[in-house]
Amino acid sequence: MCLLQKQDSSRQLPQAPLKRPLAAKETPIKRQHGNNAELHYTIDNIMAKITTLLLDFGRVLVDYDFDRFFAVLRADYRVSEAAFAEFMQVVLAEETYSSLDRELIPFARQVDMLKQQHPACAELFDAFDKRFQEVVTGEVPGMHQLLSELRSSGYRLYGLSNWSSKVYETMRNYSHLFGLLHDRVLSCEEHLLKPEAAIYRCALNRWNLTAEECVFVDDKQANIDGCEAVGIKGIRFVDCPTLRHELHLLNIL
């Protein structure tokens, strides 16, 4: 049901101009121009205190290589070129991987459905399911040390990732790294995806955070844009040294 209804324009009341909210680093000052006083904004040296880092998983904490994984599958299974091309077209489609990450339907059940829809690729879909961990190639260099320093310095560390339930095995395999996180919000558990605003708000609400006290780190610009749309400062991840530099600019570490 839509609660918004068309207003009667003949009865509209005059509205006061909208005031732009102050950013964390801005303070208002009043300047006089003749008889007119105007409100301006200047940048302070005082920044809102960052208490919390929200961290993506893939290509931030652990790295992955789908190209290598698919090349291995191509070498290990005797399927026709047409069947392999069909498999690749399906698994690389945004509709497929978004559905797997959102996991409204369990991952294994979705794979069964894909096998039924694409019987020529059934063997490859089985391998995709059973060998999925081969996608992960290792932890991102330097991130364990950085997270250890952040946690020792009193920062709260939370995961915020688009990943199917296959992530649990990855978290077990790299427990020394993921164990540094205080908690996580995962797409497969919340059935929400970045860059949807709802998943960022879910994280803020769950841990009783304000957007201004958080920094979100992700390797995809679309997800950075999504977090900033709800007021969270975003840092696009390139590598650990670059992230250290970006955090230093925010007076973190």
Side-chain angles (χ1 to χ4, degrees):
M1 180 184 294
C2 181
L3 301 181
L4 299 177
Q5 298 187 23
K6 186 176 181 180
Q7 293 182 332
D8 180 356
S9 59
S10 65
R11 300 179 61 189
Q12 288 182 352
L13 297 175
Q15 296 182 355
L18 293 176
K19 293 182 179 180
R20 180 169 64 88
L22 295 182
K25 298 167 61 179
E26 294 179 333
T27 54
I29 59 173
K30 186 173 290 187
R31 292 177 180 168
Q32 194 77 22
H33 295 272
N35 295 325
N36 298 319
E38 295 182 2
L39 196 61
H40 295 261
Y41 294 85
T42 186
I43 300 299
D44 258 16
N45 290 325
I46 301 173
M47 299 179 66
K49 181 172 175 56
I50 302 297
T51 65
T52 303
L53 274 77
L54 310 175
L55 299 138
D56 183 29
F57 285 1
R59 293 188 172 158
V60 174
L61 300 186
V62 292
D63 212 345
Y64 60 85
D65 189 340
F66 275 104
D67 290 339
R68 183 186 65 85
F69 176 60
F70 291 138
V72 169
L73 295 188
R74 183 72 187 95
D76 288 353
Y77 295 91
R78 295 177 179 270
V79 298
S80 69
E81 291 290 340
F84 191 77
E86 181 181 349
F87 167 74
M88 291 292 291
Q89 183 178 16
V90 173
V91 295
L92 294 178
E94 182 178 357
E95 178 183 0
T96 301
Y97 64 74
S98 293
S99 180
L100 291 170
D101 282 349
R102 194 184 297 272
E103 210 160 330
L104 290 169
I105 301 171
F107 189 97
R109 176 60 184 144
Q110 290 193 62
V111 172
D112 285 341
M113 293 166 63
L114 291 172
K115 287 163 58 178
Q116 293 169 14
Q117 296 163 10
H118 307 275
C121 314
E123 189 176 22
L124 291 169
F125 283 118
D126 273 334
F128 180 75
D129 182 13
K130 295 180 173 61
R131 299 175 60 175
F132 191 86
Q133 288 308 308
E134 295 178 37
V135 168
V136 181
T137 59
E139 64 183 79
V140 173
M143 288 303 291
H144 181 272
Q145 179 62 32
L146 177 57
L147 264 60
S148 297
E149 293 175 27
L150 287 165
R151 182 155 178 153
S152 296
S153 298
Y155 291 95
R156 292 176 289 184
L157 307 175
Y158 297 113
L160 179 55
S161 183
N162 288 352
W163 207 314
S164 71
S165 54
K166 293 293 183 182
V167 73
Y168 301 133
E169 186 174 351
T170 300
M171 292 173 70
R172 289 192 297 270
N173 292 344
Y174 296 90
S175 58
H176 64 289
L177 178 61
F178 287 98
L180 293 170
L181 301 177
H182 292 90
D183 200 354
R184 80 291 175 111
V185 162
L186 298 175
S187 61
C188 64
E189 296 176 345
E190 307 304 327
H191 312 303
L192 301 169
L193 291 175
K194 297 174 296 183
E196 297 166 359
I199 194 167
Y200 303 103
R201 294 193 179 110
C202 174
L204 295 176
N205 293 337
R206 174 163 302 171
W207 303 310
N208 195 29
L209 301 169
T210 63
E212 293 76 14
E213 67 182 306
C214 298
V215 171
F216 174 58
V217 181
D218 196 292
D219 65 308
K220 293 183 174 63
Q221 186 60 46
N223 296 339
I224 296 299
D225 294 342
C227 82
E228 293 186 337
V230 300
I232 300 171
K233 164 68 179 174
I235 298 176
R236 186 171 183 181
F237 186 84
V238 177
D239 54 33
C240 187
T242 304
L243 176 59
R244 277 188 178 274
H245 175 70
E246 295 283 351
L247 293 176
H248 179 71
L249 294 177
L250 295 172
N251 295 328
I252 300 173
L253 294 182

